[in-house]
Amino acid sequence: MELADLVGVSQQQISRYERGECNITLDNLLNLAKALETDLICFLHDDIFSIESCVELKKELKKEQKNRIIKHRMANHYL
């Protein structure tokens, strides 16, 4: 299946987004993130320029979230 099909737009529209010729709607941006199996933050952070960077950021965010959960459980254990 093509990316355009997953997002729900034409291939020409995907090309326009890539070239910066038009703005993407929030709905299409959410669909794009879902199609690429990534988080919306990957499109909003200035330091992210590639899918690879986005995947790495997602891993880091999951690790941070896991660490927060562990700390929270440990704190509750001692209450």
Side-chain angles (χ1 to χ4, degrees):
M1 186 171 265
E2 295 285 326
L3 180 61
D5 295 328
L6 294 171
V7 176
V9 298
S10 67
Q11 183 57 49
Q12 292 81 7
Q13 188 65 19
I14 294 290
S15 295
R16 288 184 201 109
Y17 295 150
E18 291 173 333
R19 292 189 305 267
E21 293 177 357
C22 62
N23 294 324
I24 189 169
T25 65
L26 181 55
D27 285 338
N28 286 343
L29 189 59
L30 291 169
N31 290 339
L32 182 60
K34 184 177 178 181
L36 295 173
E37 298 178 356
T38 191
D39 296 322
L40 188 59
I41 188 76
C42 293
F43 300 109
L44 305 176
H45 196 281
D46 287 340
D47 293 337
I48 298 172
F49 296 105
S50 69
I51 297 297
E52 293 82 14
S53 297
C54 191
V55 170
E56 189 61 34
L57 176 63
K58 187 174 181 179
K59 287 179 186 176
E60 289 176 27
L61 291 173
K62 283 185 178 182
K63 185 177 180 181
E64 288 176 20
Q65 184 180 26
K66 182 179 176 183
N67 288 338
R68 275 186 255 129
I69 290 170
I70 291 170
K71 287 178 185 177
H72 177 75
R73 287 182 181 169
M74 289 175 64
N76 285 339
H77 175 75
Y78 292 106
L79 291 179

